[in-house]
PDB file of all heavy atoms in Angstrom:
ATOM      1  N   CYS A  23      80.447 -14.907  18.171  1.00  0.00           N
ATOM      2  CA  CYS A  23      79.467 -14.210  18.992  1.00  0.00           C
ATOM      3  C   CYS A  23      78.241 -13.888  18.088  1.00  0.00           C
ATOM      4  O   CYS A  23      78.337 -13.346  17.069  1.00  0.00           O
ATOM      5  CB  CYS A  23      80.069 -12.889  19.489  1.00  0.00           C
ATOM      6  SG  CYS A  23      78.859 -11.765  20.243  1.00  0.00           S
ATOM      7  N   PHE A  34      80.685  -4.919  21.669  1.00  0.00           N
ATOM      8  CA  PHE A  34      82.028  -4.833  22.269  1.00  0.00           C
ATOM      9  C   PHE A  34      82.594  -6.242  22.486  1.00  0.00           C
ATOM     10  O   PHE A  34      81.864  -7.274  22.584  1.00  0.00           O
ATOM     11  CB  PHE A  34      82.005  -4.201  23.687  1.00  0.00           C
ATOM     12  CG  PHE A  34      81.104  -2.945  23.734  1.00  0.00           C
ATOM     13  CD1 PHE A  34      79.837  -2.987  23.956  1.00  0.00           C
ATOM     14  CD2 PHE A  34      81.774  -1.689  23.714  1.00  0.00           C
ATOM     15  CE1 PHE A  34      79.037  -1.813  24.035  1.00  0.00           C
ATOM     16  CE2 PHE A  34      81.055  -0.501  23.787  1.00  0.00           C
ATOM     17  CZ  PHE A  34      79.627  -0.551  23.975  1.00  0.00           C
ATOM     18  N   TRP A  35      83.898  -6.318  22.579  1.00  0.00           N
ATOM     19  CA  TRP A  35      84.587  -7.411  23.099  1.00  0.00           C
ATOM     20  C   TRP A  35      85.423  -7.006  24.397  1.00  0.00           C
ATOM     21  O   TRP A  35      86.102  -6.008  24.344  1.00  0.00           O
ATOM     22  CB  TRP A  35      85.598  -8.032  22.052  1.00  0.00           C
ATOM     23  CG  TRP A  35      84.876  -9.011  21.201  1.00  0.00           C
ATOM     24  CD1 TRP A  35      84.438  -8.746  19.928  1.00  0.00           C
ATOM     25  CD2 TRP A  35      84.559 -10.397  21.412  1.00  0.00           C
ATOM     26  NE1 TRP A  35      83.840  -9.806  19.329  1.00  0.00           N
ATOM     27  CE2 TRP A  35      83.925 -10.889  20.241  1.00  0.00           C
ATOM     28  CE3 TRP A  35      84.784 -11.252  22.413  1.00  0.00           C
ATOM     29  CZ2 TRP A  35      83.432 -12.189  20.210  1.00  0.00           C
ATOM     30  CZ3 TRP A  35      84.314 -12.620  22.405  1.00  0.00           C
ATOM     31  CH2 TRP A  35      83.621 -12.971  21.193  1.00  0.00           C
ATOM     32  N   TYR A  36      85.174  -7.720  25.474  1.00  0.00           N
ATOM     33  CA  TYR A  36      85.945  -7.531  26.685  1.00  0.00           C
ATOM     34  C   TYR A  36      86.862  -8.692  26.862  1.00  0.00           C
ATOM     35  O   TYR A  36      86.548  -9.869  26.557  1.00  0.00           O
ATOM     36  CB  TYR A  36      85.039  -7.394  27.870  1.00  0.00           C
ATOM     37  CG  TYR A  36      84.377  -6.016  27.982  1.00  0.00           C
ATOM     38  CD1 TYR A  36      83.334  -5.690  27.287  1.00  0.00           C
ATOM     39  CD2 TYR A  36      84.927  -5.116  28.934  1.00  0.00           C
ATOM     40  CE1 TYR A  36      82.749  -4.403  27.354  1.00  0.00           C
ATOM     41  CE2 TYR A  36      84.402  -3.855  29.053  1.00  0.00           C
ATOM     42  CZ  TYR A  36      83.262  -3.516  28.295  1.00  0.00           C
ATOM     43  OH  TYR A  36      82.753  -2.266  28.343  1.00  0.00           O
ATOM     44  N   LEU A  47      88.455  -4.659  25.091  1.00  0.00           N
ATOM     45  CA  LEU A  47      89.340  -4.952  24.111  1.00  0.00           C
ATOM     46  C   LEU A  47      89.107  -4.108  22.846  1.00  0.00           C
ATOM     47  O   LEU A  47      89.951  -3.366  22.382  1.00  0.00           O
ATOM     48  CB  LEU A  47      89.215  -6.555  23.716  1.00  0.00           C
ATOM     49  CG  LEU A  47      90.212  -6.887  22.569  1.00  0.00           C
ATOM     50  CD1 LEU A  47      91.659  -6.831  22.975  1.00  0.00           C
ATOM     51  CD2 LEU A  47      89.930  -8.333  22.206  1.00  0.00           C
ATOM     52  N   LEU A  48      87.884  -4.168  22.351  1.00  0.00           N
ATOM     53  CA  LEU A  48      87.538  -3.304  21.188  1.00  0.00           C
ATOM     54  C   LEU A  48      86.033  -3.156  21.158  1.00  0.00           C
ATOM     55  O   LEU A  48      85.276  -3.926  21.646  1.00  0.00           O
ATOM     56  CB  LEU A  48      88.103  -3.813  19.868  1.00  0.00           C
ATOM     57  CG  LEU A  48      87.855  -5.229  19.463  1.00  0.00           C
ATOM     58  CD1 LEU A  48      86.477  -5.352  18.796  1.00  0.00           C
ATOM     59  CD2 LEU A  48      88.872  -5.692  18.409  1.00  0.00           C
ATOM     60  N   PHE A  70      79.160 -10.929  15.553  1.00  0.00           N
ATOM     61  CA  PHE A  70      80.313  -9.978  15.877  1.00  0.00           C
ATOM     62  C   PHE A  70      81.468 -10.830  16.298  1.00  0.00           C
ATOM     63  O   PHE A  70      81.898 -10.765  17.388  1.00  0.00           O
ATOM     64  CB  PHE A  70      79.796  -9.023  16.903  1.00  0.00           C
ATOM     65  CG  PHE A  70      80.894  -7.891  17.195  1.00  0.00           C
ATOM     66  CD1 PHE A  70      81.223  -7.045  16.166  1.00  0.00           C
ATOM     67  CD2 PHE A  70      81.381  -7.638  18.451  1.00  0.00           C
ATOM     68  CE1 PHE A  70      82.105  -6.022  16.438  1.00  0.00           C
ATOM     69  CE2 PHE A  70      82.227  -6.679  18.701  1.00  0.00           C
ATOM     70  CZ  PHE A  70      82.664  -5.829  17.667  1.00  0.00           C
ATOM     71  N   LEU A  72      85.161 -12.349  16.764  1.00  0.00           N
ATOM     72  CA  LEU A  72      86.446 -11.810  16.994  1.00  0.00           C
ATOM     73  C   LEU A  72      87.516 -12.726  16.363  1.00  0.00           C
ATOM     74  O   LEU A  72      87.526 -13.810  16.457  1.00  0.00           O
ATOM     75  CB  LEU A  72      86.769 -11.799  18.544  1.00  0.00           C
ATOM     76  CG  LEU A  72      88.026 -11.088  19.007  1.00  0.00           C
ATOM     77  CD1 LEU A  72      88.012  -9.616  18.716  1.00  0.00           C
ATOM     78  CD2 LEU A  72      88.253 -11.463  20.470  1.00  0.00           C
ATOM     79  N   TYR A  86      84.733 -12.020  26.504  1.00  0.00           N
ATOM     80  CA  TYR A  86      83.301 -11.765  26.565  1.00  0.00           C
ATOM     81  C   TYR A  86      82.874 -10.840  25.468  1.00  0.00           C
ATOM     82  O   TYR A  86      83.367  -9.792  25.276  1.00  0.00           O
ATOM     83  CB  TYR A  86      82.944 -11.127  27.896  1.00  0.00           C
ATOM     84  CG  TYR A  86      83.269 -12.006  29.094  1.00  0.00           C
ATOM     85  CD1 TYR A  86      84.368 -11.929  29.809  1.00  0.00           C
ATOM     86  CD2 TYR A  86      82.332 -13.013  29.506  1.00  0.00           C
ATOM     87  CE1 TYR A  86      84.695 -12.747  30.968  1.00  0.00           C
ATOM     88  CE2 TYR A  86      82.588 -13.828  30.587  1.00  0.00           C
ATOM     89  CZ  TYR A  86      83.653 -13.673  31.293  1.00  0.00           C
ATOM     90  OH  TYR A  86      83.999 -14.475  32.360  1.00  0.00           O
TER      91      TYR A  86
END
Side-chain angles (χ1 to χ4, degrees):
Chain A
C23 172
F34 313 85
W35 277 98
Y36 280 79
L47 179 63
L48 55 79
F70 188 57
L72 184 67
Y86 295 96

